[in-house]
Amino acid sequence: MKTHFIKLFNYNRFANDLILQAIIEANEPQKPLQLLSHSLTTERVWLGRCKNLPHHPYNAWPDFTAAHCAELISECHETWISYLKELPDADFSKIINYQNSKGDHLQDQLSDIFTQVINHGTHTRAQAGQQLKFAGVQSLPLTDYIYYLRILKSNI
């Protein structure tokens, strides 16, 4: 399970880099940048929950610059990979108690949270891509997971 999630978080990094590059090439339109900022912010929040860090209020819709997003993409990826590598196999089914942004106390299995983070990233990148199209971008980068896997195979 560990290898599977490490692969997914590596894909997440790959796709985030591509969408950020598309945002930069489009002269950084506000909405796609805000969507990427949101995705990166929630990645950090979920990681804090997984690590059982104290809950802090946060802005789920920050206005980060492209340069700050680039830093966060790298930071989030490195932190998630480090966390996953150190996580004992038995902990993938561990239940995590946390507080959501509304103050509700919830609990979910770690592996389900990891899947949520990846799926939320994919969903939000699609929204950013749509907003890039609205901003006049003619061609979006290919961020499909299977495309990422093909790139991995071709680099072997």
Side-chain angles (χ1 to χ4, degrees):
M1 198 175 257
K2 183 182 294 199
T3 303
H4 172 72
F5 283 111
I6 288 172
K7 186 189 301 184
L8 285 175
F9 276 91
N10 285 335
Y11 157 70
N12 192 59
R13 166 73 189 262
F14 165 83
N16 281 341
D17 284 342
L18 288 177
I19 204 71
L20 177 60
Q21 188 59 42
I23 290 169
I24 291 168
E25 290 172 4
N27 295 316
E28 302 180 24
Q30 179 186 4
K31 190 64 179 173
L33 192 54
Q34 187 180 46
L35 285 159
L36 182 59
S37 299
H38 166 73
S39 183
L40 295 168
T41 296
T42 59
E43 273 192 45
R44 291 169 62 188
V45 169
W46 278 113
L47 184 61
R49 291 171 179 166
C50 291
K51 290 181 160 188
N52 200 28
L53 300 177
H55 171 75
H56 295 290
Y58 63 95
N59 177 5
W61 293 97
D63 289 316
F64 294 150
T65 64
H68 189 62
C69 283
E71 292 172 14
L72 287 176
I73 288 169
S74 179
E75 174 191 310
C76 285
H77 178 258
E78 290 171 16
T79 308
W80 274 108
I81 296 300
S82 175
Y83 173 71
L84 288 166
K85 284 182 176 179
E86 295 171 9
L87 193 65
D89 291 340
D91 282 4
F92 282 83
S93 59
K94 183 178 174 183
I95 300 297
I96 298 296
N97 297 302
Y98 62 92
Q99 188 176 354
N100 70 7
S101 60
K102 296 176 185 177
D104 300 327
H105 292 273
L106 303 166
Q107 48 182 230
D108 288 294
Q109 188 172 300
L110 266 179
S111 61
D112 291 334
I113 291 172
F114 302 156
T115 303
Q116 163 61 25
V117 172
I118 298 302
N119 283 340
H120 181 260
T122 301
H123 172 77
T124 308
R125 282 189 300 274
Q127 290 177 307
Q130 182 182 42
Q131 291 298 319
L132 283 167
K133 286 288 201 175
F134 292 154
V137 172
Q138 297 297 313
S139 179
L140 296 175
L142 191 51
T143 59
D144 290 344
Y145 178 66
I146 202 74
Y147 175 71
Y148 168 73
L149 293 178
R150 289 179 186 136
I151 287 174
L152 286 180
K153 289 178 188 174
S154 70
N155 289 335
I156 295 176

